[in-house]
Amino acid sequence: MKAGHKSGFVNIVGNPNVGKSTLMNKLVGDKVSIITSKAQTTRHRIMGIVNTPEMQIVYSDTPGVLKPQYKLQDSMLGFSRSALGDADILLYVTDTVESGEKNEEFLAEVRKVECPVFVLINKADLSDPAGLEQMVKDWQERLPQAEVVPLSALHGVGVQYIMDRIRELLPESPPYFEKDAFTDRPARFFVTEIIREKILLYYQKEIPYSCEVVVESFKESDDLIRINAVIYVERDSQKGIIIGHKGAALKKMASKARADIERFFEKKVFLEVFVKVESDWRNRENILRSFGYRQ
Ligand code: GDP
Ligand code: MG
Ligand code: K
């Protein structure tokens, strides 16, 4: 490790639609997660990583969903406390249009956090200066330990300031992830997100929540992207459901996913999706690590 190298986790939390994904994409400088007005798209802890010779910043735009036992669905709906635990810097995003929906329970948790906390009042472009000033005051009262910053992620206003503050506050540490290994991660994460979205769309009940999607290979040539993905499930019965009668269900889901992936990369895509049983994947630390949840 170089002397003075900095690295840490910057966790972005906040209600749906306040602009977390938009902000993260600005911070990371690449399109890592799906921007959508549908709240459920990013149930996952999607990481974007910024590497420089002196620094590695690890962003996640949704809370870690694994710590509160299996409450994946709950954490999709709003805040998740588990994101607070492992943050070096917490970005709590709200916006100028979010009405009265202050989650008191969550705020109480944020007050206990020991790392630097920012309240980012996004969509400043939609408010008049006086209104904005009042919101800053209100948030400062609610969370006295936080630095309250109005910004507009969409228009890139105030984002540079946040980046500078993150660089200042990031702890000294060797990098958490191989610096070179992550160059194609945003593309892989995007593919993972699309497949997950299709699973949510095409399978019922608990199936989506027992799945983990891993892109095992992503090979891009001039006119084609070849992708191998694996859907890990916990039981044979779930595997059967995912695959469906004569493979029909999997085929349908994969072809919808492929169409979206082609649209995103504007390239022909050859997508192979396999289903594997990895019993109890949620509890097995080494598997989580290989999925990228933990390092
Ligand atoms: P998330 O659910 O918190 O991840 O929110 P998204 O990043 O998906 O953004 C939700 C919506 O808010 C999208 O339509 C964005 O374009 C929009 N949005 C994000 N940031 C801003 C902003 O600074 N100003 C305005 N006017 N809209 C924004
Ligand atoms: Mg989002
Ligand atoms: K999803």
Side-chain angles (χ1 to χ4, degrees):
M1 165 186 158
K2 268 196 211 165
H5 188 279
K6 289 180 159 197
S7 187
F9 288 80
V10 178
N11 288 0
I12 304 177
V13 296
N15 277 329
N17 290 323
V18 293
K20 298 181 296 300
S21 300
T22 308
L23 174 65
M24 193 179 76
N25 291 339
K26 280 274 156 49
L27 292 169
V28 174
D30 200 342
K31 192 168 168 61
V32 253
S33 64
I34 303 168
I35 309 267
T36 169
S37 54
K38 276 186 294 166
Q40 263 99 331
T41 312
T42 50
R43 80 158 165 97
H44 197 273
R45 187 187 170 94
I46 299 167
M47 291 187 287
I49 301 187
V50 173
N51 285 313
T52 70
E54 305 78 30
M55 199 164 43
Q56 180 176 73
I57 311 172
V58 184
Y59 289 103
S60 78
D61 90 327
T62 13
V65 290
L66 290 166
K67 277 188 223 159
Q69 291 293 306
Y70 310 144
K71 287 197 166 174
L72 295 183
Q73 198 145 20
D74 287 358
S75 60
M76 283 168 61
L77 297 175
F79 297 116
S80 166
R81 282 178 213 112
S82 59
L84 308 181
D86 65 357
D88 293 299
I89 297 171
L90 183 69
L91 306 183
Y92 179 7
V93 185
T94 179
D95 68 18
T96 56
V97 289
E98 198 171 36
S99 61
E101 295 287 315
K102 312 292 184 289
N103 185 334
E104 283 306 326
E105 210 186 321
F106 184 79
L107 287 180
E109 295 295 323
V110 173
R111 283 184 200 108
K112 293 183 213 155
V113 167
E114 284 172 18
C115 72
V117 175
F118 289 83
V119 172
L120 306 181
I121 307 177
N122 191 31
K123 308 188 190 178
D125 53 294
L126 299 180
S127 173
D128 59 278
L132 202 55
E133 202 176 320
Q134 189 57 48
M135 282 180 236
V136 172
K137 271 191 193 148
D138 292 345
W139 276 103
Q140 197 66 74
E141 272 171 36
R142 269 180 220 120
L143 288 174
Q145 100 247 46
E147 180 175 342
V148 182
V149 183
L151 80 166
S152 172
L154 188 63
H155 301 287
V157 178
V159 176
Q160 186 60 48
Y161 173 76
I162 296 304
M163 283 186 202
D164 293 343
R165 294 290 287 135
I166 289 168
R167 287 191 183 118
E168 283 167 32
L169 292 166
L170 211 63
E172 285 205 5
S173 158
Y176 287 91
F177 299 96
E178 287 276 343
K179 280 195 158 175
D180 295 336
F182 273 76
T183 46
D184 70 343
R185 277 311 252 233
R188 286 182 193 230
F189 275 121
F190 190 80
V191 170
T192 306
E193 276 290 290
I194 289 176
I195 295 172
R196 185 174 297 111
E197 195 175 57
K198 299 304 168 207
I199 294 171
L200 270 173
L201 212 55
Y202 291 108
Y203 298 98
Q204 307 286 310
K205 298 202 183 116
E206 89 295 347
I207 288 292
Y209 308 105
S210 52
C211 290
E212 190 48 56
V213 179
V214 175
V215 172
E216 294 211 318
S217 76
F218 184 99
K219 293 193 182 114
E220 188 165 4
S221 58
D222 286 347
D223 56 351
L224 181 71
I225 305 173
R226 285 178 186 277
I227 301 168
N228 284 353
V230 177
I231 299 172
Y232 286 94
V233 292
E234 292 177 299
R235 290 193 293 275
D236 283 328
S237 59
Q238 294 161 340
K239 179 176 174 175
I241 293 169
I242 297 274
I243 292 173
H245 183 60
K246 292 184 174 168
L250 180 63
K251 203 170 159 189
K252 180 179 175 190
M253 189 275 292
S255 96
K256 298 284 183 189
R258 181 184 48 79
D260 273 14
I261 297 166
E262 286 187 336
R263 207 170 301 131
F264 179 71
F265 290 106
E266 294 178 338
K267 221 174 217 186
K268 198 165 160 46
V269 166
F270 182 71
L271 173 68
E272 278 194 292
V273 182
F274 305 93
V275 185
K276 291 182 186 169
V277 178
E278 192 71 76
S279 58
D280 213 16
W281 62 259
R282 292 176 206 208
N283 286 330
R284 286 167 54 186
E285 198 59 31
N286 56 336
I287 297 173
L288 294 181
R289 204 173 293 124
S290 72
F291 288 163
Y293 281 108
R294 294 279 180 274
Q295 182 87 348

